[in-house]
Amino acid sequence: MAEVIAPVSTAQPATIPGHDKKYVYFHSGSEATYREVLDDTPSSSSSSFTSIPTVDLAGLDDESSPTERQRIAREIRDACRECGFFYVKNHGVPDEVVRQTFALLRRFFALDTAAKMEAHVQKNPAIRGYEPMLETNLDPRTKGDIKEAFTMGDCYLEPEQDYQGKTGQPGPPPHVTRPQNIWPRQAPWWREGLYAYYAHILPLSLKLVRVFALGFGLDEDAFDPMFRFPITGMRPLHYPPTPVSSAGEEHVGLGAHADFSWLTLVLQDDVPALEVLNQAGRWVDAPPAPGTFVCNVGQYLERQSNGRYPATVHRVRNKTGRERYSLPFFLTPGPEVELEVLPCCCYDGDDDGKENPRKYDAINVGDLYIRRVLPARMKHPTSIKYRDVPEEEWSYNMLLS
């Protein structure tokens, strides 16, 4: 399934202190949220991060080196608690795969509009496919997000994803009768190329899931049942050349948001644009680092960790005037999973076992997903189709018919 971005709110909170100050607006969960954005003077808060840490995954695949795996788990745990973002290097995805993937993105987005619109997102009930420039608008203070995108994700029927092999089921669920992805007919190489990358990034993400389990003090296979056939999304993005914006509002490629996923892994090209909002309300650069992915916590993991791992707000802003390509991959547990706060996150392990009250109720992953995706795409035919259906009757299966 495509990722759901928790978008900038169009409805601002009723009471905002200090109207002479700057705020960033976004949705964290379903509530309108704001945070003050400070100037560029050095932060006085010692708890606010000022850079994004890097975790070396060398040794991740060495089953004979549990010490190294525990080291990786600790570093990822600390990064998630500190800022919700981290880079990974020595991740095992070959440089040639990365090079071919960027060549693929450039080739696809260079197609004429008619060829790309064959697979327009409006033609797909699962809200997958091509989105042209300005189609989304995560920051209502702008004319729209200055980017074009394509979304593909998990599919019970596409053979590249091997649903039966991964789940042991004799076939797809009986109510699923059509593929969840849509592909442009004039570019069969697009599907082939994206799946070539998918074959590397999905296994890497599932290895990280096991490392996260270790970081919580659990057996490394503790989360495996949640990810037998997970909700996934790949979202190739093209940001065209735009005038450089010093103020940060006029030419935002992607407005401020927190990812609605469990974990996100982003492949960036060499153009700096990604910014992350720290605890003090300052934007921190997450510049491209050759040979790395930048990873971040999504809102499902924030819930499961009882808020211990924040789904940090971030945005994409043109600072060079150059065009940019990136490819985020979104990983979320399967829609059937009942997600609960981990018991180990109901106390503060750094404070002599002090209780940390449970902030989130248990919830079905698919139920929560549909309650985000439909409001995020109000003009999509699927949203229009179910507009008069009470939210409590919404089902993940609405995206599959």
Side-chain angles (χ1 to χ4, degrees), residues 93-271:
V93 178
D95 291 342
E96 181 61 15
V97 170
V98 171
R99 187 194 65 77
Q100 291 175 353
T101 300
F102 279 123
L104 179 77
L105 268 57
R106 288 190 291 270
R107 183 182 179 189
F108 174 76
F109 287 115
L111 290 173
D112 62 66
T113 300
K116 291 180 287 190
M117 289 294 285
E118 270 193 339
H120 188 253
V121 66
Q122 297 273 354
K123 299 178 181 179
N124 179 260
I127 316 183
R128 310 271 182 84
Y130 174 69
E131 290 180 336
M133 208 73 65
L134 301 177
E135 181 142 327
T136 60
N137 186 10
L138 294 191
D139 189 334
R141 295 167 296 179
T142 69
K143 296 180 180 179
D145 298 321
I146 306 173
K147 55 99 177 110
E148 55 180 334
F150 185 95
T151 299
M152 62 84 69
D154 55 292
C155 179
Y156 297 102
L157 299 179
E158 290 183 343
E160 296 95 331
Q161 300 201 28
D162 189 23
Y163 172 77
Q164 292 166 260
K166 290 174 180 175
T167 64
Q169 297 298 315
H175 59 276
V176 180
T177 58
R178 59 185 296 175
Q180 292 156 263
N181 293 316
I182 185 172
W183 301 97
R185 289 173 295 176
Q186 297 181 42
W189 44 264
W190 178 236
R191 173 173 175 169
E192 180 182 350
L194 284 185
Y195 268 119
Y197 178 75
Y198 190 89
H200 290 275
I201 196 67
L202 176 62
L204 173 60
S205 71
L206 295 177
K207 291 176 185 178
L208 291 176
V209 166
R210 290 192 149 211
V211 172
F212 272 90
L214 291 176
F216 286 118
L218 306 172
D219 292 339
E220 65 177 283
D221 61 355
F223 295 152
D224 286 4
M226 295 168 46
F227 294 95
R228 284 197 311 156
F229 197 77
I231 296 174
T232 57
M234 285 208 314
R235 190 168 171 81
L237 292 159
H238 171 226
Y239 301 90
T242 56
V244 177
S245 169
S246 58
E249 306 299 342
E250 298 88 347
H251 302 294
V252 172
L254 191 62
H257 65 280
D259 286 351
F260 196 69
S261 62
W262 196 86
L263 180 66
T264 303
L265 293 82
V266 181
L267 180 64
Q268 301 190 81
D269 67 8
D270 62 351
V271 179

Side-chain angles (χ1 to χ4, degrees), residues 355-377:
E355 287 190 7
N356 182 26
R358 191 181 301 265
K359 300 180 179 70
Y360 304 97
D361 294 329
I363 193 164
N364 174 267
V365 167
D367 287 350
L368 185 57
Y369 191 94
I370 194 68
R371 293 173 188 174
R372 296 293 186 271
V373 70
L374 292 190
R377 295 290 189 273

